[in-house]
Amino acid sequence: MNIRWIALRIIQEIVRDKRTLALLFVVPIVVMTLIYYALATDEIAKVSVVSRGTARLFDSEIINVLENDDDVELVAIDIPDEETDPDILVELIKKELIAGHVDGVLYMDEQLLLDRFSDKRGTIHIFVEGSKPIITSSVFAAISSAMDDLAAGLPVVIDSSCSAFCADSVNNKTMDMEKHLIYGSDEYRLIDFFLPVFPTFFVFFFTFIISTISFQRERLRGTLERLQAAPIRFYEIVGGYVFGFFIFVTLQSIIIESYIMVLIEFEFSIQQFVSYSVVVILTMLVSLMLGLMASFLAANEFQAIQFIPLFILPQIFLSDMIWSIDSFPKVFKYISYAFPLTYSNKVARDVMIRNKPLIDSWFSLLVLVGFILLILTVMTIIANRKLRKSD
Amino acid sequence: MANNVVEVVGSNNSILDIENLTKVFGKLTAVDDLSLSIPSKTIFGLLGPNGAGKTTLIRMIAGLVHPTKGKIRLFGNLPPESLKARGQIGYMPQDISIYPGLSVLENIYFFGRIYGLEKEKLIRNAEEALEFVELSAKRNTQVSELSGGMVRRVSLATALVHKPKFLVLDEPTAGVDPLLRLKIWTLLEELASEGTSILITTHHISEARECGNVVFMRNGSLIDQGAPQSIMDKYSASDLESAFVKATEERGNSV
């Protein structure tokens, strides 16, 4: 098969091109590290405690625990001590949060102690602004660990649903936490949410750039013409590109996945690793086909570069990668169905976060395969027209 | 692959037969009802100024462009699109079309493999091609580090490595210094004497006196053809260029 010779040539060329190698292997690592630190930054959250009635009994202990927590800073907020109406208090707390005077407020009311004395867990309320997931999660983390410390010293709550075996656990002593977010939702764990989609995005992005440009060069320097004059078929040329890139993308995805494991100590099962690689490779194939198609549409290298933002940017915004598609007007959601990354990201999250078997994502995978075939067909038609017409 | 199996010999021992060939691009008729036969084992020159339609004709012969009308047959009866025909042609386009990131030898190997050469034959032919273009010493040099003249010789070697029966060269001497031009012509004569049929286009009309036969082409049509000496005699010209000018003038008057 001639495919292997074209693949070999692509490998030889890429191996010798240090910049391309860096783009494939070094840039993703650097960018991921930056993103990781940007997201995992230890920003200190400002926290305040508001308690009324008998709940004031817990104040000193909680404040003591929170003061020893490096991730939060206790601040005072402007709420009059004599105000006891819960509705007004909540309104005042929200106002303070929106004004940015504080990032999180622990609110405990009269009911808390009453509940504890009637064998209930009791409920504490945590108010956060919610738009900054890093802050939100550090508020929750600090307060819940403070509550664990506090609860350890409290009498055990007898819960009828709990067997004797669990009666002693800290869990059984803690109060229920009710989280109030002014914006957003508390299921939003940033690093979990982003992590799986960056590798698929990198693969998509870099494969697109490299394939667009290298095929464009193949055309411009006339070597494509020589291949066409040679006794090989068009599919062998495309096949050669697929195989050549396949090797680099496989390497790239192994490096990125391994790096994730090291960087954030994310543990993959073998099944996850393999499933995720399937997603990454399918994404690479879609991107490769798009890149080859773009290079046929482009008349020169500059036009080829213009295709990069055109094909990539909308997908960054609308593929559910960073911003939830639900936060856009409905019409964008329909547009997002036309983007391959929408499906890659969905499968990536299902596999990595939700730990679902790959087969559960059969529909998205099928769509990705459909994209590959569709783009391949369109590309072949465009290629035949462009190549036969040009003089 | 059909790299070295030629047993088909066309009518009148010609390697290429073209009948009533026309190619129209939009409003431009690049090749206009052209008929031509090219005998095998000679150097055949396709001469004419820029824009005469030479490259379009060559690209149709190489199977890269479909004719609007007419017929092209290679090696007797093969259409240019057929893999069998393509395997027996060595095509060197006007632009340098090799891979700058690969070494001289890697380029030659790549094209040899694409034309289906097996290992031993590939190595043997590549060595011969290297020697032929006198680049054996540069075999492992990356093409991007070579001079323009050397790059052109590598390009020629990649078109030769599968030992084509029919070598199609589009302006191999364009922008080439006189010494290398002479060298290229010497190489082509050597190939022709070994039995390769060669079709070459050039707008340096005078240098084509080395060809066995030439045709003059202008505005997509043939204006005259024959052996260089007989054409020069016909127009009582001292070189091919003035013969071309006279042929154009005569033709211009008669149209």
Side-chain angles (χ1 to χ4, degrees), chain A residues 195-304:
Chain A
L195 202 69
V197 297
F198 280 114
T200 45
F201 174 71
F202 285 133
V203 165
F204 191 87
F205 187 52
F206 294 126
T207 306
F208 184 79
I209 292 179
I210 294 168
S211 61
T212 304
I213 300 296
S214 66
F215 210 65
Q216 180 68 18
R217 280 203 312 213
E218 183 103 46
R219 272 180 70 199
L220 285 183
R221 61 193 176 190
T223 45
L224 184 62
E225 189 170 298
R226 290 193 65 174
L227 293 182
Q228 289 181 292
I232 66 171
R233 294 179 178 86
F234 186 66
Y235 78 81
E236 291 180 297
I237 301 175
V238 175
Y241 266 79
V242 171
F243 270 96
F245 278 96
F246 185 82
I247 289 164
F248 286 99
V249 170
T250 308
L251 261 179
Q252 189 193 36
S253 69
I254 289 172
I255 290 174
I256 293 177
E257 285 173 59
S258 311
Y259 189 65
I260 289 177
M261 283 198 273
V262 176
L263 183 71
I264 63 152
E265 294 162 8
F266 192 102
E267 287 194 12
F268 295 95
S269 64
I270 300 284
Q271 190 205 346
Q272 272 178 314
F273 201 95
V274 172
S275 306
Y276 193 61
S277 302
V278 170
V279 184
V280 170
I281 286 162
L282 277 177
T283 308
M284 178 276 286
L285 287 173
V286 177
S287 178
L288 182 63
M289 295 301 160
L290 266 180
L292 299 186
M293 187 176 81
S295 74
F296 277 114
L297 289 172
N300 53 50
E301 270 173 312
F302 182 63
Q303 285 187 9

Side-chain angles (χ1 to χ4, degrees), chain A residues 16 218 225-226 228 388, chain B residues 63-64 86 91 99 106 158:
Chain A
R16 233 158 267 172
E218 183 103 46
E225 189 170 298
R226 290 193 65 174
Q228 289 181 292
R388 300 290 171 195
Chain B
L64 297 167
R86 287 198 251 162
Y91 172 57
Y99 298 98
E106 283 166 345
T158 59

Side-chain angles (χ1 to χ4, degrees), chain B residues 136-199:
Chain B
S136 300
K138 297 278 182 188
R139 68 178 67 225
N140 294 321
T141 309
Q142 208 164 311
V143 166
S144 56
E145 289 163 17
L146 296 177
S147 71
M150 286 183 188
V151 173
R152 206 164 272 268
R153 271 144 67 199
V154 179
S155 186
L156 181 60
T158 59
L160 290 174
V161 63
H162 60 293
K163 303 208 168 181
K165 282 279 157 189
F166 186 28
L167 190 57
V168 179
L169 310 169
D170 195 4
E171 300 276 2
T173 57
V176 166
D177 70 76
L179 273 178
L180 181 60
R181 241 151 79 182
L182 206 64
K183 169 95 194 145
I184 289 176
W185 278 101
T186 315
L187 292 176
L188 295 182
E189 278 161 38
E190 204 179 319
L191 283 172
S193 70
E194 287 165 8
T196 309
S197 313
I198 299 171
L199 174 64

Side-chain angles (χ1 to χ4, degrees), chain A residues 53-328:
Chain A
T54 47
R56 284 180 200 268
L57 288 170
F58 296 120
D59 271 10
S60 64
E61 200 154 349
I62 285 186
I63 287 170
N64 195 23
V65 177
L66 288 176
E67 266 175 348
N68 289 326
D69 191 326
D70 292 339
D71 292 336
V72 293
E73 180 198 348
L74 271 172
V75 293
I77 47 169
D78 189 20
I79 292 178
D81 251 7
E82 57 277 11
E83 183 57 68
T84 51
D85 183 324
D87 291 341
I88 295 175
L89 276 171
V90 167
E91 278 317 301
L92 287 170
I93 288 170
K94 284 185 175 172
K95 233 180 227 170
E96 287 294 294
L97 285 166
I98 289 169
H101 297 151
V102 66
D103 297 311
V105 176
L106 168 61
Y107 173 58
M108 297 178 289
D109 58 13
E110 193 92 48
Q111 192 62 36
L112 179 61
L113 214 59
L114 291 176
D115 281 348
R116 292 299 289 197
F117 281 119
S118 49
D119 285 354
K120 288 184 195 145
R121 288 154 163 270
T123 304
I124 59 162
H125 301 269
I126 306 173
F127 288 87
V128 287
E129 192 253 3
S131 72
K132 287 176 276 183
I134 307 159
I135 298 286
T136 304
S137 58
S138 67
V139 169
F140 289 157
I143 292 179
S144 64
S145 79
M147 296 317 288
D148 283 348
D149 284 2
L150 180 72
L154 292 176
V156 177
V157 177
I158 308 302
D159 187 339
S160 53
S161 71
C162 188
S163 70
F165 188 67
C166 72
D168 211 2
S169 71
V170 169
N171 211 13
N172 203 36
K173 294 176 174 179
T174 48
M175 300 140 193
D176 290 327
M177 268 202 277
E178 202 167 290
K179 298 169 180 174
H180 305 269
L181 286 86
I182 299 176
Y183 309 112
S185 115
D186 69 328
E187 285 163 18
Y188 198 48
R189 272 192 55 203
L190 207 62
I191 202 77
D192 284 354
F193 190 69
F194 286 145
L195 202 69
V197 297
F198 280 114
T200 45
F201 174 71
F202 285 133
V203 165
F204 191 87
F205 187 52
F206 294 126
T207 306
F208 184 79
I209 292 179
I210 294 168
S211 61
T212 304
I213 300 296
S214 66
F215 210 65
Q216 180 68 18
R217 280 203 312 213
E218 183 103 46
R219 272 180 70 199
L220 285 183
R221 61 193 176 190
T223 45
L224 184 62
E225 189 170 298
R226 290 193 65 174
L227 293 182
Q228 289 181 292
I232 66 171
R233 294 179 178 86
F234 186 66
Y235 78 81
E236 291 180 297
I237 301 175
V238 175
Y241 266 79
V242 171
F243 270 96
F245 278 96
F246 185 82
I247 289 164
F248 286 99
V249 170
T250 308
L251 261 179
Q252 189 193 36
S253 69
I254 289 172
I255 290 174
I256 293 177
E257 285 173 59
S258 311
Y259 189 65
I260 289 177
M261 283 198 273
V262 176
L263 183 71
I264 63 152
E265 294 162 8
F266 192 102
E267 287 194 12
F268 295 95
S269 64
I270 300 284
Q271 190 205 346
Q272 272 178 314
F273 201 95
V274 172
S275 306
Y276 193 61
S277 302
V278 170
V279 184
V280 170
I281 286 162
L282 277 177
T283 308
M284 178 276 286
L285 287 173
V286 177
S287 178
L288 182 63
M289 295 301 160
L290 266 180
L292 299 186
M293 187 176 81
S295 74
F296 277 114
L297 289 172
N300 53 50
E301 270 173 312
F302 182 63
Q303 285 187 9
I305 290 170
Q306 289 174 323
F307 277 116
I308 294 168
L310 187 71
F311 278 81
I312 303 287
L313 275 183
Q315 301 210 55
I316 294 181
F317 286 96
L318 298 178
S319 68
D320 229 10
M321 188 170 104
I322 301 174
W323 298 279
S324 168
I325 189 69
D326 294 324
S327 61
F328 290 88

Side-chain angles (χ1 to χ4, degrees), chain A residues 1-13 16 217-218 220-234 236 241 384 387-391, chain B residues 1 23 25 30 55-56 59 62-66 81 83 86-87 91-93 95-103 106 110-111 113-116 142 155 158-159:
Chain A
M1 282 296 259
N2 289 307
I3 289 177
R4 71 192 148 134
W5 301 124
I6 293 176
L8 173 69
R9 197 213 80 225
I10 285 165
I11 293 164
Q12 285 172 326
E13 279 195 301
R16 233 158 267 172
R217 280 203 312 213
E218 183 103 46
L220 285 183
R221 61 193 176 190
T223 45
L224 184 62
E225 189 170 298
R226 290 193 65 174
L227 293 182
Q228 289 181 292
I232 66 171
R233 294 179 178 86
F234 186 66
E236 291 180 297
Y241 266 79
N384 278 327
L387 296 174
R388 300 290 171 195
K389 251 188 193 171
S390 62
D391 184 33
Chain B
M1 283 296 134
K23 179 67 192 179
F25 295 109
T55 296
T56 304
R59 298 191 58 193
L64 297 167
V65 175
H66 289 307
E81 299 82 14
L83 291 187
R86 287 198 251 162
Y91 172 57
M92 180 177 159
D95 302 320
I96 304 294
S97 37
I98 51 179
Y99 298 98
L102 303 187
S103 73
E106 283 166 345
F110 174 70
F111 283 102
R113 285 160 172 161
I114 291 300
Y115 279 85
Q142 208 164 311
S155 186
T158 59

Side-chain angles (χ1 to χ4, degrees), chain B residues 17-21 31-37 215 222 225:
Chain B
D17 296 286
I18 295 173
E19 280 171 38
N20 307 106
L21 192 68
V31 173
D32 191 4
D33 197 27
L34 186 145
S35 297
L36 183 66
S37 269
V215 296
L222 293 188
Q225 59 178 309

